[in-house]
Amino acid sequence: MEKTLYKYGVSLRKACVMLLLLMVALASCDRRELEVMEPQKTSFRIEVRWASVDWDSYYGGKPSGMTVMLFGAKNPDKPIVELTNAVDYVNLDLDPDKYRMVIFNNSVGEFGSMNFENMNDYDNMAARAVKFTPMQATEWTAQTVFHRDPERIGVVLEEFEITEDMLLSQVTFYPYKAWLRALRADTRFYQRDDLTYVIEVTPVPVTSTLFLRVHVQGLVNMRSVEGSISGMADGYYLTREQNTSETALHLLDSWSVRSDENFNGNGWITTTIPVWGEPFGMENADTRPADHHQLKLHFNLRDGKTQCDFSFNVGRELRYMRQNAAGEWEYTDEKTRYMVLTIWNFDLGEEPGEPEDPGDDPGKEDPDPDDPHRPHDPILPFVESDGQGSGFDAVVMDWEDGGTFDIGF
């Protein structure tokens, strides 16, 4: 009897164990399969507001491409580089990291006037002017090494972080993905309906425009003119937002001429060139040495043999200007992207006039006309025309009406 009860008890325990295992097995059939996180990078969209800049007037037209560079904190010397013709936006898939971003129009190979240096080193990225000797050099420019005028370039600098939460917000199993769809107060991004993160950026122009106006007495005797100006920066550090401290020598070989309205044989020569601006540390005209900038002019006269050279120390004569709310130009002590140099025997006061046309109003008289440190009108001597080429005498139809026209050399 006892053996029977013992066997029965053992059988009952086995049955209970089997039943428990069966229940566990049945319960395990309801377990979800392991999930794989997808995507494994954050979808990111950069929208570039080129239209926020007066691209047509400043750059001569919307760019045909752009370069996007992202420097991650994990691999700072191996930037992500994206070259694209879609200049309004670019889509990227990014790992969580802290990024420093640089964007500029076109690619480095499309800028023939400048060399790009240290492009894998965020803190020292620079664009510097290419040096050259004129192919059609005159006797005056022969063997002289100049720096090319910079091409128009706009730069975007941004810093942002792609977080794990941003990645998880795009993963299908993340339970709170709807929470991050709207614009968040603690982030610089917003998310579109497809959960792509978007950041909007605006390019900033980094080159300057220099207007040069020189009033010449006896301009009627001129056949051609060329010149140079020294002391401007030779480049720009893209991520420091500052010009280089080294200087450049710019060739001035494209001038326009306009006679005075009273047809007295005098007039203006004017030219406009793009420059990087003042070297770093030389932005303040009051502390800039007078000889920091030197303007040189070389005139060939209409007799075909007389030449006149003039040299001016104009380090403190270059002035910043801006347009006010009424669209009128005015001088300013603040650094701007517009600079003007006027050489005239009169003081223009605080109204520079139109940058490319100073007009005929003599303004204020020079308070110190005998000051040897202040540049005055170059004076060309009277010479008879040799009848060859373009001398500016009474037979030039546009001379009497004060018109503006180009002259070569």
Side-chain angles (χ1 to χ4, degrees), residues 178-236:
W179 173 59
L180 289 174
R181 287 186 181 180
L183 180 65
R184 292 170 52 187
D186 61 341
T187 179
R188 302 176 58 240
F189 312 99
Y190 68 87
Q191 279 189 297
R192 303 192 312 171
D193 290 340
D194 63 359
L195 300 183
T196 298
Y197 280 90
V198 179
I199 183 172
E200 297 178 353
V201 295
T202 301
V204 176
V206 298
T207 56
S208 298
T209 300
L210 174 60
F211 299 91
L212 298 106
R213 303 104 55 96
V214 181
H215 191 260
V216 180
Q217 297 185 42
L219 184 65
V220 69
N221 297 294
M222 184 185 74
R223 171 166 292 171
S224 65
V225 62
E226 52 191 330
S228 66
I229 188 165
S230 64
M232 307 306 297
D234 79 336
Y236 182 81

